[in-house]
Amino acid sequence: MERKLSEQLRRVIYVSEKVGLSEQDVTDIINASARNNPTKNITGCLLEGKTSFLQILEGPSDAIQILYKIISEDNRHTNVKSLCNEP
């Protein structure tokens, strides 16, 4: 049975603290995202505040869940809090 498109796609919105990150660290995150996300059909938006990130990720459910787990375990992001995780 084929899944509905809305069940195949997922949106995750999260916030995290960026403690002690340099501008080069942030540039590295952006460059890695630009390189890796399109091959997985992931799109999104990263907003950088003085001490935090807010990111929206959208794409295939499995790929989004894997990416969110990686981000949650990345030491460049602390106190990761999910605001939205839905099909």
Side-chain angles (χ1 to χ4, degrees), residues 17-21 23 47-53:
E17 292 180 41
K18 57 171 201 161
V19 179
L21 289 185
E23 283 305 311
L47 302 174
E48 177 190 10
K50 186 173 181 176
T51 61
S52 62
F53 290 116

Side-chain angles (χ1 to χ4, degrees), residues 1-2 10 13 22 25 31 41 51 54 65 72 80:
M1 186 162 117
E2 194 171 316
R10 178 155 294 279
I13 303 171
S22 69
D25 292 327
N31 289 340
N41 294 316
T51 61
L54 181 136
Q65 297 290 34
S72 296
V80 177

Side-chain angles (χ1 to χ4, degrees), residues 60-79:
S61 186
D62 292 344
I64 292 294
Q65 297 290 34
I66 291 167
L67 179 57
Y68 182 67
K69 183 177 185 324
I70 291 168
I71 289 167
S72 296
E73 295 171 353
D74 186 329
N75 63 5
R76 295 173 297 184
H77 298 270
T78 58
N79 293 327

Side-chain angles (χ1 to χ4, degrees), residues 8-20:
Q8 296 173 4
L9 298 176
R10 178 155 294 279
R11 174 185 306 121
V12 168
I13 303 171
Y14 73 88
V15 293
S16 66
E17 292 180 41
K18 57 171 201 161
V19 179

Side-chain angles (χ1 to χ4, degrees), residues 35-43 58-60 63-64 66-67 70:
R35 182 177 58 251
N36 297 326
N37 290 352
T39 64
K40 297 174 182 118
N41 294 316
I42 294 173
T43 61
E58 294 182 322
I64 292 294
I66 291 167
L67 179 57
I70 291 168

